[in-house]
PDB file of all heavy atoms in Angstrom:
ATOM      1  N   ARG A 296     130.583 123.679 166.184  1.00 90.00           N
ATOM      2  CA  ARG A 296     130.810 122.307 166.594  1.00 90.00           C
ATOM      3  C   ARG A 296     131.806 121.604 165.636  1.00 90.00           C
ATOM      4  O   ARG A 296     132.663 120.849 166.039  1.00 90.00           O
ATOM      5  CB  ARG A 296     129.461 121.573 166.590  1.00 90.00           C
ATOM      6  CG  ARG A 296     129.451 120.227 167.273  1.00 90.00           C
ATOM      7  CD  ARG A 296     128.035 119.672 167.290  1.00 90.00           C
ATOM      8  NE  ARG A 296     127.427 119.721 165.945  1.00 90.00           N
ATOM      9  CZ  ARG A 296     127.619 118.813 164.989  1.00 90.00           C
ATOM     10  NH1 ARG A 296     128.422 117.782 165.220  1.00 90.00           N
ATOM     11  NH2 ARG A 296     127.039 118.930 163.798  1.00 90.00           N
ATOM     12  N   ILE A 297     131.630 121.910 164.346  1.00 87.00           N
ATOM     13  CA  ILE A 297     132.424 121.195 163.353  1.00 87.00           C
ATOM     14  C   ILE A 297     133.912 121.567 163.409  1.00 87.00           C
ATOM     15  O   ILE A 297     134.786 120.725 163.298  1.00 87.00           O
ATOM     16  CB  ILE A 297     131.811 121.381 161.952  1.00 87.00           C
ATOM     17  CG1 ILE A 297     130.412 120.730 161.993  1.00 87.00           C
ATOM     18  CG2 ILE A 297     132.690 120.756 160.868  1.00 87.00           C
ATOM     19  CD1 ILE A 297     129.582 120.854 160.765  1.00 87.00           C
ATOM     20  N   CYS A 298     134.184 122.860 163.625  1.00 91.00           N
ATOM     21  CA  CYS A 298     135.610 123.255 163.724  1.00 91.00           C
ATOM     22  C   CYS A 298     136.059 123.237 165.188  1.00 91.00           C
ATOM     23  O   CYS A 298     137.133 123.736 165.516  1.00 91.00           O
ATOM     24  CB  CYS A 298     135.827 124.642 163.098  1.00 91.00           C
ATOM     25  SG  CYS A 298     134.899 125.989 163.853  1.00 91.00           S
ATOM     26  N   LYS A 299     135.241 122.671 166.030  1.00 92.00           N
ATOM     27  CA  LYS A 299     135.532 122.545 167.472  1.00 92.00           C
ATOM     28  C   LYS A 299     135.893 123.900 168.086  1.00 92.00           C
ATOM     29  O   LYS A 299     136.806 124.011 168.897  1.00 92.00           O
ATOM     30  CB  LYS A 299     136.649 121.526 167.703  1.00 92.00           C
ATOM     31  CG  LYS A 299     136.318 120.143 167.164  1.00 92.00           C
ATOM     32  CD  LYS A 299     137.293 119.087 167.695  1.00 92.00           C
ATOM     33  CE  LYS A 299     137.025 117.723 167.111  1.00 92.00           C
ATOM     34  NZ  LYS A 299     137.645 117.542 165.771  1.00 92.00           N
ATOM     35  N   GLY A 300     135.176 124.923 167.628  1.00 94.00           N
ATOM     36  CA  GLY A 300     135.345 126.244 168.206  1.00 94.00           C
ATOM     37  C   GLY A 300     136.575 126.987 167.735  1.00 94.00           C
ATOM     38  O   GLY A 300     136.794 128.151 168.119  1.00 94.00           O
ATOM     39  N   SER A 301     137.425 126.354 166.911  1.00 94.00           N
ATOM     40  CA  SER A 301     138.675 126.994 166.535  1.00 94.00           C
ATOM     41  C   SER A 301     138.524 127.964 165.378  1.00 94.00           C
ATOM     42  O   SER A 301     139.361 128.827 165.160  1.00 94.00           O
ATOM     43  CB  SER A 301     139.701 125.928 166.151  1.00 94.00           C
ATOM     44  OG  SER A 301     139.372 125.394 164.871  1.00 94.00           O
ATOM     45  N   GLY A 302     137.448 127.791 164.588  1.00 95.00           N
ATOM     46  CA  GLY A 302     137.280 128.632 163.396  1.00 95.00           C
ATOM     47  C   GLY A 302     138.071 128.124 162.204  1.00 95.00           C
ATOM     48  O   GLY A 302     137.985 128.688 161.120  1.00 95.00           O
ATOM     49  N   TRP A 303     138.867 127.036 162.399  1.00 96.00           N
ATOM     50  CA  TRP A 303     139.696 126.506 161.311  1.00 96.00           C
ATOM     51  C   TRP A 303     139.432 125.010 161.114  1.00 96.00           C
ATOM     52  O   TRP A 303     139.155 124.297 162.060  1.00 96.00           O
ATOM     53  CB  TRP A 303     141.190 126.700 161.612  1.00 96.00           C
ATOM     54  CG  TRP A 303     141.593 128.134 161.641  1.00 96.00           C
ATOM     55  CD1 TRP A 303     141.701 128.917 162.748  1.00 96.00           C
ATOM     56  CD2 TRP A 303     141.940 128.956 160.529  1.00 96.00           C
ATOM     57  NE1 TRP A 303     142.111 130.193 162.411  1.00 96.00           N
ATOM     58  CE2 TRP A 303     142.257 130.237 161.028  1.00 96.00           C
ATOM     59  CE3 TRP A 303     142.012 128.741 159.135  1.00 96.00           C
ATOM     60  CZ2 TRP A 303     142.653 131.298 160.214  1.00 96.00           C
ATOM     61  CZ3 TRP A 303     142.411 129.807 158.329  1.00 96.00           C
ATOM     62  CH2 TRP A 303     142.727 131.062 158.857  1.00 96.00           C
ATOM     63  N   ILE A 304     139.515 124.575 159.867  1.00 95.00           N
ATOM     64  CA  ILE A 304     139.350 123.158 159.557  1.00 95.00           C
ATOM     65  C   ILE A 304     140.530 122.677 158.722  1.00 95.00           C
ATOM     66  O   ILE A 304     140.904 123.313 157.721  1.00 95.00           O
ATOM     67  CB  ILE A 304     138.041 122.915 158.743  1.00 95.00           C
ATOM     68  CG1 ILE A 304     136.824 123.229 159.618  1.00 95.00           C
ATOM     69  CG2 ILE A 304     137.984 121.479 158.254  1.00 95.00           C
ATOM     70  CD1 ILE A 304     135.508 123.000 158.891  1.00 95.00           C
ATOM     71  N   GLU A 305     141.126 121.573 159.158  1.00 96.00           N
ATOM     72  CA  GLU A 305     142.276 121.035 158.426  1.00 96.00           C
ATOM     73  C   GLU A 305     141.779 120.386 157.150  1.00 96.00           C
ATOM     74  O   GLU A 305     140.811 119.626 157.149  1.00 96.00           O
ATOM     75  CB  GLU A 305     142.975 119.995 159.317  1.00 96.00           C
ATOM     76  CG  GLU A 305     144.173 119.371 158.664  1.00 96.00           C
ATOM     77  CD  GLU A 305     144.379 117.942 159.121  1.00 96.00           C
ATOM     78  OE1 GLU A 305     144.158 117.657 160.322  1.00 96.00           O
ATOM     79  OE2 GLU A 305     144.741 117.121 158.268  1.00 96.00           O
ATOM     80  N   VAL A 306     142.425 120.683 156.014  1.00 96.00           N
ATOM     81  CA  VAL A 306     141.971 120.067 154.760  1.00 96.00           C
ATOM     82  C   VAL A 306     143.028 119.238 154.040  1.00 96.00           C
ATOM     83  O   VAL A 306     142.678 118.362 153.256  1.00 96.00           O
ATOM     84  CB  VAL A 306     141.382 121.111 153.780  1.00 96.00           C
ATOM     85  CG1 VAL A 306     140.040 121.603 154.247  1.00 96.00           C
ATOM     86  CG2 VAL A 306     142.354 122.249 153.515  1.00 96.00           C
ATOM     87  N   LEU A 307     144.305 119.503 154.240  1.00 98.00           N
ATOM     88  CA  LEU A 307     145.295 118.718 153.486  1.00 98.00           C
ATOM     89  C   LEU A 307     146.695 118.850 154.049  1.00 98.00           C
ATOM     90  O   LEU A 307     146.967 119.703 154.901  1.00 98.00           O
ATOM     91  CB  LEU A 307     145.267 119.127 152.000  1.00 98.00           C
ATOM     92  CG  LEU A 307     145.509 120.587 151.632  1.00 98.00           C
ATOM     93  CD1 LEU A 307     146.986 120.882 151.427  1.00 98.00           C
ATOM     94  CD2 LEU A 307     144.756 120.926 150.345  1.00 98.00           C
ATOM     95  N   GLY A 308     147.568 117.980 153.559  1.00 98.00           N
ATOM     96  CA  GLY A 308     148.981 118.003 153.922  1.00 98.00           C
ATOM     97  C   GLY A 308     149.803 118.471 152.729  1.00 98.00           C
ATOM     98  O   GLY A 308     149.478 118.183 151.588  1.00 98.00           O
ATOM     99  N   SER A 309     150.881 119.198 153.041  1.00 98.00           N
ATOM    100  CA  SER A 309     151.638 119.804 151.954  1.00 98.00           C
ATOM    101  C   SER A 309     153.089 120.033 152.346  1.00 98.00           C
ATOM    102  O   SER A 309     153.463 119.799 153.496  1.00 98.00           O
ATOM    103  CB  SER A 309     151.015 121.142 151.568  1.00 98.00           C
ATOM    104  OG  SER A 309     151.265 122.093 152.613  1.00 98.00           O
ATOM    105  N   GLY A 310     153.858 120.523 151.419  1.00 98.00           N
ATOM    106  CA  GLY A 310     155.230 120.904 151.745  1.00 98.00           C
ATOM    107  C   GLY A 310     156.085 121.021 150.499  1.00 98.00           C
ATOM    108  O   GLY A 310     155.601 120.909 149.381  1.00 98.00           O
ATOM    109  N   MET A 311     157.377 121.284 150.748  1.00 98.00           N
ATOM    110  CA  MET A 311     158.352 121.332 149.660  1.00 98.00           C
ATOM    111  C   MET A 311     158.938 119.909 149.510  1.00 98.00           C
ATOM    112  O   MET A 311     159.389 119.330 150.503  1.00 98.00           O
ATOM    113  CB  MET A 311     159.464 122.337 149.975  1.00 98.00           C
ATOM    114  CG  MET A 311     158.965 123.759 150.201  1.00 98.00           C
ATOM    115  SD  MET A 311     157.975 124.394 148.802  1.00 98.00           S
ATOM    116  CE  MET A 311     159.233 124.487 147.528  1.00 98.00           C
ATOM    117  N   ILE A 312     158.929 119.391 148.300  1.00 98.00           N
ATOM    118  CA  ILE A 312     159.373 118.013 148.053  1.00 98.00           C
ATOM    119  C   ILE A 312     160.785 117.841 148.632  1.00 98.00           C
ATOM    120  O   ILE A 312     161.697 118.624 148.372  1.00 98.00           O
ATOM    121  CB  ILE A 312     159.356 117.677 146.554  1.00 98.00           C
ATOM    122  CG1 ILE A 312     157.916 117.787 146.027  1.00 98.00           C
ATOM    123  CG2 ILE A 312     159.905 116.272 146.321  1.00 98.00           C
ATOM    124  CD1 ILE A 312     157.795 117.551 144.525  1.00 98.00           C
TER     125      ILE A 312
END
Side-chain angles (χ1 to χ4, degrees):
R296 192 176 51 82
I297 296 177
C298 61
K299 301 193 183 83
S301 74
W303 294 96
I304 294 181
E305 180 211 321
V306 288
L307 56 89
S309 71
M311 301 304 293
I312 299 177

